[in-house]
Amino acid sequence: MSVAPGYAGQPGYGQPVYGQPGYGQQSTVVVGAAPQTMVIMQESKPDNHVGMAIFTCLCCFWPLGLASLIFACMVDSRWESGDKEGAKSASRTASTLWKIALGLGLAGIIIVVIIIPVYFFIILPAQVINAIG
């Protein structure tokens, strides 16, 4: 088999192609070595609950909403100063306070929704009837 000048031929067809592994060069194959994976666990900053703290301060029971807002503001400053446990504690306290404030606000709304119609449709007409008769 003759090869035209300037043509190296195809590998595997009688003529070795130099530069390929296995033809005049040594190659090292590492079998079974996988890249190692390193997992770095990094704590994430706890939620500061500032949105719900503002909502409960404005729309529900404002004293507890205000306390929740104060603790919510403490979360970021404590986290940035390196006090991770203090930040988590402030986050839990802010969360607890806004939930209580929301519950009290909803309870107040439910009571008002029940008492106002009872007053205007039952108690007030009864007083008017007693005053006339």
Side-chain angles (χ1 to χ4, degrees):
M1 177 170 142
S2 66
V3 177
Y7 180 70
Q10 295 179 352
Y13 284 84
Q15 295 227 348
V17 177
Y18 297 100
Q20 295 281 332
Y23 292 104
Q25 294 182 0
Q26 286 186 347
S27 63
T28 304
V29 177
V30 179
V31 179
Q36 295 206 356
T37 304
M38 182 185 303
V39 177
I40 299 173
M41 298 298 289
Q42 185 177 17
E43 285 185 281
S44 60
K45 183 177 77 169
D47 189 14
N48 58 14
H49 303 283
V50 82
M52 286 304 294
I54 291 172
F55 174 75
T56 55
C57 188
L58 296 175
C59 299
C60 294
F61 190 65
W62 71 267
L64 283 180
L66 183 61
S68 174
L69 185 59
I70 291 169
F71 278 98
C73 291
M74 288 179 173
V75 173
D76 291 333
S77 62
R78 287 184 178 181
W79 183 264
E80 290 168 5
S81 69
D83 183 13
K84 295 183 189 315
E85 290 304 315
K88 290 177 186 176
S89 175
S91 176
R92 283 190 303 270
T93 304
S95 174
T96 302
L97 289 175
W98 77 252
K99 289 174 184 174
I100 294 171
L102 182 67
L104 290 173
L106 290 175
I109 290 170
I110 290 170
I111 289 170
V112 167
V113 165
I114 291 172
I115 287 180
I116 288 180
V118 167
Y119 178 75
F120 281 111
F121 294 119
I122 297 173
I123 297 173
L124 192 61
Q127 288 177 350
V128 170
I129 291 173
N130 287 340
I132 296 174

